[in-house]
Amino acid sequence: MTTSATQAHTGPARLPYGPAQAGLMTGAASAAALALLDLFTSVPQHDRLIDLADYAFTADGFPLVLGMLVSVAAIHALHGGRDGRLGSVALVLTTVGMLGFLPPLVVSLVSGDTESLGPVYLLSMLVSLIGLVLFAVGLLRAGVLPWWAGPSLAVGWVVGGPVGEDGPLGFRGSALLLAAACLAVAFAVARHRSALAGDR
């Protein structure tokens, strides 16, 4: 294989910049919607889904967690192994945590009970947070994106993630912090993509 062919194969178009940016933008939009519902409606102040806002608040969890999962998986791929085994462990834990949100969300929408499946939702929050913290450490090790990218997602997740104002550090509208973190990291990914394209 020639040098030019190698560059074509490994160039920016072949790397998962698109999925990373799409996942981050989806996470940002979903987090912003979560914050607006949190600020301007009564959710989640009761344990039953009563009106349209309650159902919208719950349904918003799907693009939020899936967007974050796609983002982490794509950024892990961008690291090209430079985050080591830690990066792989972080991806596994984040995947398990994010996918763990889906059954409670589905059951809540069907049953109208926000407490469906008991502690599964909170356990998913814990596992996903551990995964994101490890992901942040792996991102620092990889040195592909700015050092603040991983920590900002982890902090945004614990402050403004799916638990919302009921979280350990959350407050009304705190999901806006997660939305801002996702947008900032999406911008960092775009800058890295442009820089890499400019080097070729």
Side-chain angles (χ1 to χ4, degrees):
M1 182 178 292
T2 65
T3 302
S4 59
T6 302
Q7 289 180 343
H9 179 70
T10 60
R14 294 291 183 179
L15 293 173
Y17 289 102
Q21 291 175 286
L24 289 163
M25 295 304 291
T26 299
S30 302
L34 188 71
L36 292 175
L37 287 166
D38 200 14
L39 286 169
F40 298 109
T41 71
S42 61
V43 294
Q45 297 178 2
H46 37 73
D47 59 4
R48 298 291 302 175
L49 302 183
I50 298 173
D51 55 24
L52 182 60
D54 295 333
Y55 282 94
F57 188 86
T58 303
D60 187 64
F62 291 100
L64 181 63
V65 300
L66 293 176
M68 289 295 291
L69 176 56
V70 169
S71 302
V72 170
I75 292 172
H76 171 69
L78 286 177
H79 291 160
R82 288 185 288 273
D83 51 1
R85 183 171 295 179
L86 180 65
S88 299
V89 172
L91 178 61
V92 170
L93 288 175
T94 303
T95 300
V96 170
M98 297 298 177
L99 294 180
F101 286 112
L102 302 183
L105 289 172
V106 170
V107 175
S108 293
L109 288 174
V110 172
S111 68
D113 181 5
T114 62
E115 302 297 327
S116 297
L117 299 187
V120 175
Y121 195 88
L122 291 177
L123 287 172
S124 297
M125 184 67 179
L126 177 61
V127 173
S128 63
L129 177 58
I130 293 171
L132 284 173
V133 169
L134 295 179
F135 167 74
V137 176
L139 186 145
L140 286 169
R141 174 185 294 180
V144 173
L145 296 179
W147 68 267
W148 50 262
S152 67
L153 290 177
V155 171
W157 189 248
V158 71
V159 174
V163 176
E165 65 182 35
D166 292 331
L169 300 174
F171 50 88
R172 292 188 73 85
S174 60
L176 286 174
L177 295 177
L178 177 59
C182 288
L183 286 175
V185 177
F187 180 70
V189 170
R191 287 193 64 181
H192 185 269
R193 183 178 192 173
S194 297
L196 185 60
D199 288 341
R200 293 186 179 276

Short mmCIF file of all heavy atoms in Angstrom, two decimals, residues 85-140:
data_model
loop_
_atom_site.label_atom_id
_atom_site.label_comp_id
_atom_site.label_asym_id
_atom_site.label_seq_id
_atom_site.Cartn_x
_atom_site.Cartn_y
_atom_site.Cartn_z
N ARG A 85 -6.05 0.25 28.00
CA ARG A 85 -7.10 -0.64 28.52
C ARG A 85 -8.13 0.14 29.32
O ARG A 85 -9.31 -0.21 29.34
CB ARG A 85 -6.47 -1.73 29.39
CG ARG A 85 -7.46 -2.74 29.93
CD ARG A 85 -6.78 -3.90 30.59
NE ARG A 85 -6.00 -4.67 29.64
CZ ARG A 85 -5.28 -5.75 29.96
NH1 ARG A 85 -5.25 -6.17 31.23
NH2 ARG A 85 -4.59 -6.40 29.05
N LEU A 86 -7.69 1.22 29.96
CA LEU A 86 -8.61 2.05 30.72
C LEU A 86 -9.73 2.58 29.84
O LEU A 86 -10.90 2.63 30.25
CB LEU A 86 -7.85 3.22 31.36
CG LEU A 86 -8.68 4.18 32.20
CD1 LEU A 86 -9.24 3.48 33.43
CD2 LEU A 86 -7.84 5.38 32.60
N GLY A 87 -9.38 2.98 28.62
CA GLY A 87 -10.38 3.47 27.69
C GLY A 87 -11.40 2.40 27.34
O GLY A 87 -12.60 2.69 27.22
N SER A 88 -10.93 1.16 27.19
CA SER A 88 -11.85 0.06 26.87
C SER A 88 -12.78 -0.23 28.03
O SER A 88 -13.99 -0.46 27.84
CB SER A 88 -11.05 -1.20 26.50
OG SER A 88 -10.25 -0.97 25.36
N VAL A 89 -12.23 -0.23 29.26
CA VAL A 89 -13.06 -0.45 30.44
C VAL A 89 -14.09 0.67 30.57
O VAL A 89 -15.27 0.43 30.88
CB VAL A 89 -12.18 -0.53 31.71
CG1 VAL A 89 -13.05 -0.55 32.97
CG2 VAL A 89 -11.29 -1.75 31.66
N ALA A 90 -13.66 1.91 30.32
CA ALA A 90 -14.57 3.05 30.39
C ALA A 90 -15.71 2.90 29.39
O ALA A 90 -16.87 3.17 29.71
CB ALA A 90 -13.81 4.34 30.13
N LEU A 91 -15.38 2.44 28.19
CA LEU A 91 -16.41 2.26 27.16
C LEU A 91 -17.41 1.20 27.59
O LEU A 91 -18.62 1.37 27.43
CB LEU A 91 -15.77 1.90 25.83
CG LEU A 91 -16.76 1.64 24.68
CD1 LEU A 91 -17.60 2.88 24.40
CD2 LEU A 91 -16.01 1.20 23.43
N VAL A 92 -16.93 0.09 28.14
CA VAL A 92 -17.82 -0.98 28.58
C VAL A 92 -18.76 -0.49 29.68
O VAL A 92 -19.98 -0.70 29.63
CB VAL A 92 -17.01 -2.21 29.06
CG1 VAL A 92 -17.93 -3.22 29.75
CG2 VAL A 92 -16.29 -2.87 27.89
N LEU A 93 -18.19 0.18 30.69
CA LEU A 93 -19.02 0.66 31.80
C LEU A 93 -20.02 1.72 31.34
O LEU A 93 -21.18 1.71 31.75
CB LEU A 93 -18.13 1.24 32.90
CG LEU A 93 -17.33 0.22 33.71
CD1 LEU A 93 -16.40 0.93 34.70
CD2 LEU A 93 -18.24 -0.74 34.45
N THR A 94 -19.57 2.62 30.48
CA THR A 94 -20.48 3.65 29.97
C THR A 94 -21.60 3.01 29.16
O THR A 94 -22.78 3.41 29.29
CB THR A 94 -19.72 4.66 29.11
OG1 THR A 94 -18.65 5.23 29.88
CG2 THR A 94 -20.64 5.77 28.64
N THR A 95 -21.26 2.02 28.35
CA THR A 95 -22.27 1.34 27.55
C THR A 95 -23.30 0.64 28.44
O THR A 95 -24.52 0.77 28.23
CB THR A 95 -21.61 0.32 26.61
OG1 THR A 95 -20.71 1.00 25.74
CG2 THR A 95 -22.66 -0.41 25.78
N VAL A 96 -22.81 -0.10 29.43
CA VAL A 96 -23.72 -0.80 30.34
C VAL A 96 -24.61 0.20 31.07
O VAL A 96 -25.83 0.01 31.19
CB VAL A 96 -22.93 -1.66 31.35
CG1 VAL A 96 -23.85 -2.19 32.45
CG2 VAL A 96 -22.24 -2.82 30.63
N GLY A 97 -24.00 1.28 31.56
CA GLY A 97 -24.77 2.28 32.28
C GLY A 97 -25.81 2.95 31.42
O GLY A 97 -26.97 3.10 31.83
N MET A 98 -25.43 3.37 30.22
CA MET A 98 -26.36 4.07 29.34
C MET A 98 -27.50 3.15 28.89
O MET A 98 -28.68 3.54 28.91
CB MET A 98 -25.64 4.63 28.12
CG MET A 98 -24.59 5.68 28.43
SD MET A 98 -25.29 7.16 29.20
CE MET A 98 -23.81 8.11 29.50
N LEU A 99 -27.16 1.93 28.51
CA LEU A 99 -28.21 1.00 28.08
C LEU A 99 -29.12 0.62 29.24
O LEU A 99 -30.29 0.28 29.04
CB LEU A 99 -27.59 -0.25 27.45
CG LEU A 99 -26.84 -0.02 26.14
CD1 LEU A 99 -26.27 -1.33 25.62
CD2 LEU A 99 -27.75 0.61 25.08
N GLY A 100 -28.58 0.68 30.47
CA GLY A 100 -29.39 0.36 31.64
C GLY A 100 -30.53 1.33 31.87
O GLY A 100 -31.53 0.99 32.53
N PHE A 101 -30.42 2.54 31.32
CA PHE A 101 -31.51 3.50 31.45
C PHE A 101 -32.73 3.12 30.62
O PHE A 101 -33.86 3.51 30.95
CB PHE A 101 -31.06 4.89 31.00
CG PHE A 101 -30.15 5.60 31.95
CD1 PHE A 101 -28.83 5.82 31.64
CD2 PHE A 101 -30.64 6.06 33.17
CE1 PHE A 101 -27.99 6.49 32.51
CE2 PHE A 101 -29.80 6.73 34.05
CZ PHE A 101 -28.48 6.94 33.72
N LEU A 102 -32.51 2.39 29.54
CA LEU A 102 -33.58 2.19 28.56
C LEU A 102 -34.78 1.39 29.10
O LEU A 102 -35.92 1.81 28.91
CB LEU A 102 -33.02 1.55 27.29
CG LEU A 102 -31.91 2.36 26.60
CD1 LEU A 102 -31.47 1.68 25.31
CD2 LEU A 102 -32.35 3.79 26.33
N PRO A 103 -34.56 0.23 29.79
CA PRO A 103 -35.73 -0.49 30.31
C PRO A 103 -36.58 0.33 31.28
O PRO A 103 -37.82 0.35 31.13
CB PRO A 103 -35.11 -1.72 31.00
CG PRO A 103 -33.82 -1.94 30.27
CD PRO A 103 -33.32 -0.57 29.97
N PRO A 104 -36.01 1.04 32.26
CA PRO A 104 -36.86 1.85 33.13
C PRO A 104 -37.62 2.94 32.37
O PRO A 104 -38.77 3.24 32.71
CB PRO A 104 -35.88 2.47 34.13
CG PRO A 104 -34.72 1.55 34.13
CD PRO A 104 -34.61 1.04 32.75
N LEU A 105 -36.98 3.53 31.36
CA LEU A 105 -37.67 4.55 30.58
C LEU A 105 -38.86 3.96 29.83
O LEU A 105 -39.95 4.55 29.82
CB LEU A 105 -36.69 5.19 29.58
CG LEU A 105 -35.62 6.12 30.18
CD1 LEU A 105 -34.61 6.52 29.10
CD2 LEU A 105 -36.25 7.35 30.81
N VAL A 106 -38.65 2.80 29.22
CA VAL A 106 -39.74 2.15 28.48
C VAL A 106 -40.88 1.79 29.43
O VAL A 106 -42.06 2.09 29.16
CB VAL A 106 -39.23 0.89 27.75
CG1 VAL A 106 -40.40 0.08 27.19
CG2 VAL A 106 -38.26 1.27 26.63
N VAL A 107 -40.53 1.15 30.55
CA VAL A 107 -41.57 0.71 31.48
C VAL A 107 -42.29 1.92 32.08
O VAL A 107 -43.51 1.88 32.29
CB VAL A 107 -40.96 -0.18 32.58
CG1 VAL A 107 -42.00 -0.53 33.63
CG2 VAL A 107 -40.38 -1.45 31.97
N SER A 108 -41.57 2.99 32.35
CA SER A 108 -42.21 4.19 32.88
C SER A 108 -43.21 4.78 31.91
O SER A 108 -44.31 5.19 32.30
CB SER A 108 -41.14 5.25 33.22
OG SER A 108 -40.33 4.83 34.28
N LEU A 109 -42.85 4.81 30.63
CA LEU A 109 -43.77 5.34 29.62
C LEU A 109 -45.01 4.47 29.49
O LEU A 109 -46.12 4.97 29.29
CB LEU A 109 -43.06 5.46 28.27
CG LEU A 109 -42.03 6.58 28.15
CD1 LEU A 109 -41.30 6.48 26.82
CD2 LEU A 109 -42.69 7.96 28.29
N VAL A 110 -44.84 3.16 29.60
CA VAL A 110 -45.97 2.24 29.45
C VAL A 110 -46.86 2.23 30.69
O VAL A 110 -48.09 2.27 30.60
CB VAL A 110 -45.46 0.81 29.15
CG1 VAL A 110 -46.62 -0.19 29.19
CG2 VAL A 110 -44.76 0.76 27.80
N SER A 111 -46.23 2.22 31.87
CA SER A 111 -46.99 2.09 33.12
C SER A 111 -47.41 3.43 33.72
O SER A 111 -48.33 3.49 34.54
CB SER A 111 -46.15 1.33 34.16
OG SER A 111 -45.03 2.11 34.57
N GLY A 112 -46.72 4.50 33.33
CA GLY A 112 -47.00 5.80 33.91
C GLY A 112 -46.40 5.98 35.29
O GLY A 112 -46.68 6.96 35.97
N ASP A 113 -45.54 5.04 35.72
CA ASP A 113 -44.94 5.07 37.04
C ASP A 113 -43.45 5.38 36.90
O ASP A 113 -42.70 4.59 36.31
CB ASP A 113 -45.14 3.72 37.74
CG ASP A 113 -44.56 3.68 39.14
OD1 ASP A 113 -44.06 4.72 39.61
OD2 ASP A 113 -44.60 2.60 39.76
N THR A 114 -43.01 6.51 37.45
CA THR A 114 -41.61 6.89 37.32
C THR A 114 -40.67 6.05 38.17
O THR A 114 -39.45 6.11 38.00
CB THR A 114 -41.40 8.37 37.71
OG1 THR A 114 -41.77 8.55 39.08
CG2 THR A 114 -42.25 9.28 36.83
N GLU A 115 -41.23 5.26 39.08
CA GLU A 115 -40.42 4.40 39.94
C GLU A 115 -40.31 2.98 39.40
O GLU A 115 -39.88 2.08 40.11
CB GLU A 115 -41.01 4.37 41.36
CG GLU A 115 -41.13 5.73 42.02
CD GLU A 115 -39.78 6.39 42.23
OE1 GLU A 115 -38.79 5.67 42.47
OE2 GLU A 115 -39.71 7.63 42.15
N SER A 116 -40.71 2.77 38.16
CA SER A 116 -40.69 1.44 37.57
C SER A 116 -39.28 0.84 37.60
O SER A 116 -38.28 1.54 37.41
CB SER A 116 -41.16 1.50 36.12
OG SER A 116 -42.51 1.93 36.07
N LEU A 117 -39.22 -0.45 37.87
CA LEU A 117 -37.98 -1.24 37.93
C LEU A 117 -37.07 -0.81 39.09
O LEU A 117 -35.86 -1.08 39.06
CB LEU A 117 -37.22 -1.20 36.61
CG LEU A 117 -37.98 -1.76 35.40
CD1 LEU A 117 -37.05 -1.82 34.19
CD2 LEU A 117 -38.56 -3.13 35.68
N GLY A 118 -37.64 -0.15 40.06
CA GLY A 118 -36.91 0.14 41.30
C GLY A 118 -35.61 0.87 41.10
O GLY A 118 -35.58 1.93 40.46
N PRO A 119 -34.50 0.31 41.64
CA PRO A 119 -33.22 1.04 41.64
C PRO A 119 -32.43 0.94 40.34
O PRO A 119 -31.30 1.45 40.29
CB PRO A 119 -32.46 0.36 42.78
CG PRO A 119 -32.93 -1.06 42.73
CD PRO A 119 -34.39 -0.98 42.35
N VAL A 120 -32.97 0.30 39.32
CA VAL A 120 -32.20 0.11 38.08
C VAL A 120 -31.76 1.45 37.50
O VAL A 120 -30.62 1.61 37.04
CB VAL A 120 -33.03 -0.68 37.05
CG1 VAL A 120 -32.28 -0.77 35.71
CG2 VAL A 120 -33.34 -2.07 37.57
N TYR A 121 -32.65 2.43 37.54
CA TYR A 121 -32.34 3.75 36.98
C TYR A 121 -31.16 4.40 37.72
O TYR A 121 -30.21 4.89 37.09
CB TYR A 121 -33.59 4.63 37.08
CG TYR A 121 -33.56 5.89 36.25
CD1 TYR A 121 -34.00 5.88 34.93
CD2 TYR A 121 -33.11 7.08 36.78
CE1 TYR A 121 -34.00 7.02 34.15
CE2 TYR A 121 -33.10 8.24 36.01
CZ TYR A 121 -33.54 8.21 34.71
OH TYR A 121 -33.52 9.35 33.95
N LEU A 122 -31.22 4.39 39.04
CA LEU A 122 -30.14 5.00 39.83
C LEU A 122 -28.83 4.23 39.68
O LEU A 122 -27.75 4.82 39.64
CB LEU A 122 -30.55 5.10 41.29
CG LEU A 122 -31.65 6.12 41.60
CD1 LEU A 122 -32.02 6.08 43.07
CD2 LEU A 122 -31.23 7.52 41.19
N LEU A 123 -28.92 2.90 39.60
CA LEU A 123 -27.72 2.09 39.38
C LEU A 123 -27.09 2.42 38.03
O LEU A 123 -25.86 2.48 37.89
CB LEU A 123 -28.04 0.60 39.48
CG LEU A 123 -28.32 0.06 40.88
CD1 LEU A 123 -28.81 -1.38 40.81
CD2 LEU A 123 -27.08 0.16 41.76
N SER A 124 -27.94 2.64 37.04
CA SER A 124 -27.44 3.01 35.71
C SER A 124 -26.74 4.35 35.77
O SER A 124 -25.70 4.56 35.11
CB SER A 124 -28.60 3.06 34.71
OG SER A 124 -29.18 1.78 34.57
N MET A 125 -27.28 5.28 36.54
CA MET A 125 -26.64 6.58 36.70
C MET A 125 -25.25 6.42 37.32
O MET A 125 -24.27 7.03 36.86
CB MET A 125 -27.51 7.48 37.58
CG MET A 125 -26.99 8.90 37.73
SD MET A 125 -27.06 9.82 36.19
CE MET A 125 -26.41 11.41 36.71
N LEU A 126 -25.16 5.58 38.34
CA LEU A 126 -23.87 5.36 39.01
C LEU A 126 -22.86 4.72 38.08
O LEU A 126 -21.71 5.17 37.97
CB LEU A 126 -24.09 4.49 40.24
CG LEU A 126 -22.83 4.11 41.04
CD1 LEU A 126 -22.13 5.35 41.56
CD2 LEU A 126 -23.17 3.16 42.17
N VAL A 127 -23.26 3.65 37.39
CA VAL A 127 -22.35 2.94 36.49
C VAL A 127 -21.91 3.84 35.34
O VAL A 127 -20.72 3.88 34.97
CB VAL A 127 -23.00 1.64 35.96
CG1 VAL A 127 -22.11 0.99 34.91
CG2 VAL A 127 -23.25 0.67 37.11
N SER A 128 -22.86 4.58 34.76
CA SER A 128 -22.51 5.47 33.66
C SER A 128 -21.57 6.57 34.13
O SER A 128 -20.65 6.98 33.39
CB SER A 128 -23.76 6.07 33.02
OG SER A 128 -24.48 6.87 33.95
N LEU A 129 -21.76 7.06 35.35
CA LEU A 129 -20.87 8.10 35.86
C LEU A 129 -19.46 7.56 36.07
O LEU A 129 -18.47 8.22 35.70
CB LEU A 129 -21.40 8.66 37.17
CG LEU A 129 -20.52 9.71 37.84
CD1 LEU A 129 -20.28 10.90 36.91
CD2 LEU A 129 -21.11 10.16 39.17
N ILE A 130 -19.34 6.36 36.63
CA ILE A 130 -18.02 5.74 36.79
C ILE A 130 -17.36 5.59 35.42
O ILE A 130 -16.17 5.87 35.24
CB ILE A 130 -18.13 4.38 37.50
CG1 ILE A 130 -18.58 4.58 38.95
CG2 ILE A 130 -16.79 3.64 37.47
CD1 ILE A 130 -18.92 3.30 39.67
N GLY A 131 -18.14 5.13 34.43
CA GLY A 131 -17.61 4.99 33.08
C GLY A 131 -17.12 6.30 32.52
O GLY A 131 -16.05 6.37 31.90
N LEU A 132 -17.89 7.39 32.74
CA LEU A 132 -17.48 8.69 32.21
C LEU A 132 -16.26 9.26 32.93
O LEU A 132 -15.44 9.94 32.32
CB LEU A 132 -18.65 9.68 32.30
CG LEU A 132 -19.75 9.48 31.26
CD1 LEU A 132 -20.94 10.38 31.55
CD2 LEU A 132 -19.22 9.73 29.85
N VAL A 133 -16.13 8.98 34.21
CA VAL A 133 -14.93 9.42 34.94
C VAL A 133 -13.70 8.71 34.39
O VAL A 133 -12.66 9.34 34.14
CB VAL A 133 -15.09 9.18 36.45
CG1 VAL A 133 -13.76 9.38 37.17
CG2 VAL A 133 -16.16 10.10 37.04
N LEU A 134 -13.80 7.40 34.20
CA LEU A 134 -12.68 6.65 33.61
C LEU A 134 -12.40 7.11 32.18
O LEU A 134 -11.25 7.19 31.75
CB LEU A 134 -12.97 5.15 33.65
CG LEU A 134 -13.08 4.52 35.04
CD1 LEU A 134 -13.40 3.04 34.92
CD2 LEU A 134 -11.80 4.73 35.84
N PHE A 135 -13.47 7.42 31.45
CA PHE A 135 -13.33 7.94 30.10
C PHE A 135 -12.55 9.25 30.10
O PHE A 135 -11.68 9.49 29.25
CB PHE A 135 -14.72 8.15 29.49
CG PHE A 135 -14.74 8.96 28.22
CD1 PHE A 135 -14.30 8.41 27.03
CD2 PHE A 135 -15.19 10.27 28.23
CE1 PHE A 135 -14.31 9.17 25.85
CE2 PHE A 135 -15.22 11.02 27.07
CZ PHE A 135 -14.78 10.48 25.89
N ALA A 136 -12.83 10.11 31.09
CA ALA A 136 -12.12 11.38 31.21
C ALA A 136 -10.64 11.16 31.44
O ALA A 136 -9.79 11.85 30.86
CB ALA A 136 -12.73 12.22 32.34
N VAL A 137 -10.30 10.18 32.28
CA VAL A 137 -8.89 9.87 32.55
C VAL A 137 -8.24 9.33 31.28
O VAL A 137 -7.10 9.71 30.93
CB VAL A 137 -8.77 8.86 33.70
CG1 VAL A 137 -7.31 8.46 33.91
CG2 VAL A 137 -9.34 9.43 34.99
N GLY A 138 -8.94 8.45 30.57
CA GLY A 138 -8.41 7.91 29.32
C GLY A 138 -8.22 8.99 28.28
O GLY A 138 -7.24 8.97 27.51
N LEU A 139 -9.14 9.97 28.25
CA LEU A 139 -9.02 11.07 27.29
C LEU A 139 -7.77 11.90 27.59
O LEU A 139 -7.05 12.32 26.67
CB LEU A 139 -10.28 11.93 27.36
CG LEU A 139 -10.42 13.05 26.33
CD1 LEU A 139 -11.88 13.23 25.93
CD2 LEU A 139 -9.87 14.36 26.85
N LEU A 140 -7.51 12.11 28.86
CA LEU A 140 -6.28 12.83 29.25
C LEU A 140 -5.04 12.06 28.78
O LEU A 140 -4.07 12.65 28.28
CB LEU A 140 -6.23 13.01 30.76
CG LEU A 140 -7.16 14.07 31.35
CD1 LEU A 140 -7.19 13.94 32.86
CD2 LEU A 140 -6.71 15.47 30.94
#
